[in-house]
């Protein structure tokens, strides 16, 4: 007599769950085309809007992607496991390796849309860096593309007087990146703080990250601190939520 919780779900959600189960069982593999709206209408006896909503669920969850004029396909992009603790260890950047090498294994990473400018510190950044709003900061903006898929937008702010004359003010920062260069000028990061939020993307973010409709972004704001608690960098990152698993592994 009593109906299960699944019976109370909207029809489109039940169809989406059935499609996800078929993907998990291997019936549909990465890159395979999923049943289209007409197929779902016939199979489940539902209206076109219901079928469209079901496919939309898989797209918004990053499981499937629409290809214009071709249909909806199982996404073949492997989510990036961002190891939040290990990637920032000094043994990583201190030995000349990129902090990204802890995440990407043997996958192909391209950094593009790189811009290095000097700008006045926004008020919220100035407060963290301990400078006055409008004080000169070195701003490093770039996009990270993994296996051909844009996954991250990153903007770093550093006090301009601290990094003047270093490779941090150039597009190529050299082995170990920004943190290795900070160490060379006596501002070695010894502590990090990351704050994480999530929201829907702006149109500009959705365009730069090639996001499917309905895909949220993860916002990670990292502050790097040198000795005596001095903040030396604020890095504001925008991540494609469907492309990431955030992993934090630490001892009790």
């Amino acid at each position: 007599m009593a109906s299960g919780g699944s019976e109370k779900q909207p029809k489109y959600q039940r169809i989406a769950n059935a499609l996800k189960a078929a993907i998990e069982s291997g019936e549909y593999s990465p890159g395979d085309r999923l049943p289209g709206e007409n197929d779902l209408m016939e199979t489940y006896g539902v209206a076109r809007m219901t079928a469209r909503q079901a496919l939309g669920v898989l797209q918004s969850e990053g499981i499937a992607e629409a290809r214009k004029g071709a249909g909806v396909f199982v996404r073949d992009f492997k989510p990036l496991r961002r190891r939040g603790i290990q990637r920032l260890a000094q043994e990583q950047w201190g030995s000349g390796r990129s902090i990204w090498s802890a995440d990407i294994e043997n996958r192909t990473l391209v950094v593009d849309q790189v811009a290095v400018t000097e700008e006045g510190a926004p008020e919220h950044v100035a407060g963290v860096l301990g400078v006055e709003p409008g004080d000169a900061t070195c701003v490093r903006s770039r996009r990270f593309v993994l296996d051909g898929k844009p996954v991250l937008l990153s903007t770093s702010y550093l006090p301009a007087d601290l990094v003047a004359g270093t490779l941090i003010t150039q597009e190529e920062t050299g082995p170990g990146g920004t943190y290795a260069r900070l160490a060379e000028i006596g501002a070695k990061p010894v502590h990090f703080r990351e704050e994480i939020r999530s929201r829907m993307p702006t149109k500009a973010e959705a365009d730069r990250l090639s996001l499917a409709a309905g895909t949220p972004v993860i916002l990670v704001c990292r502050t790097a601190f040198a000795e005596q608690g001095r903040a030396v960098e604020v890095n504001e990152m925008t991540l494609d939520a469907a492309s990431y698993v955030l992993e934090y592994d630490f001892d009790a």
Side-chain angles (χ1 to χ4, degrees), residues 5 8 46-47 92 106 109 111 114 126 133-134 142 152-153 163 203 212 220:
K8 298 177 183 178
V46 296
Q92 186 74 18
N106 295 320
L109 175 71
V111 182
V114 180
R142 54 260 191 231
L152 168 72
L153 308 176
V163 302
K203 184 179 186 306
V220 179

Side-chain angles (χ1 to χ4, degrees), residues 113-122 125 129 135-142 154-160 163 168-171 178 233-234 236:
Q113 299 184 4
V114 180
V116 185
T117 58
E118 186 171 298
E119 301 175 20
V125 171
L129 289 178
D135 279 0
T137 57
C138 174
V139 182
R140 298 184 52 80
S141 175
R142 54 260 191 231
S154 175
T155 303
S156 294
Y157 299 86
L158 305 100
V163 302
I168 293 171
T169 64
Q170 306 300 313
E171 289 190 8
T178 295
E233 181 212 34
V234 173
E236 296 182 329

Side-chain angles (χ1 to χ4, degrees), residues 75 77 107-110 112 143-151 208-210:
R75 200 171 189 218
F77 181 86
R107 302 170 72 179
T108 302
L109 175 71
V110 175
D112 69 0
R143 184 177 72 163
F144 293 79
V145 181
L146 186 67
D147 294 343
K149 168 71 178 73
V151 295
R208 291 185 68 196
L209 288 171
S210 302

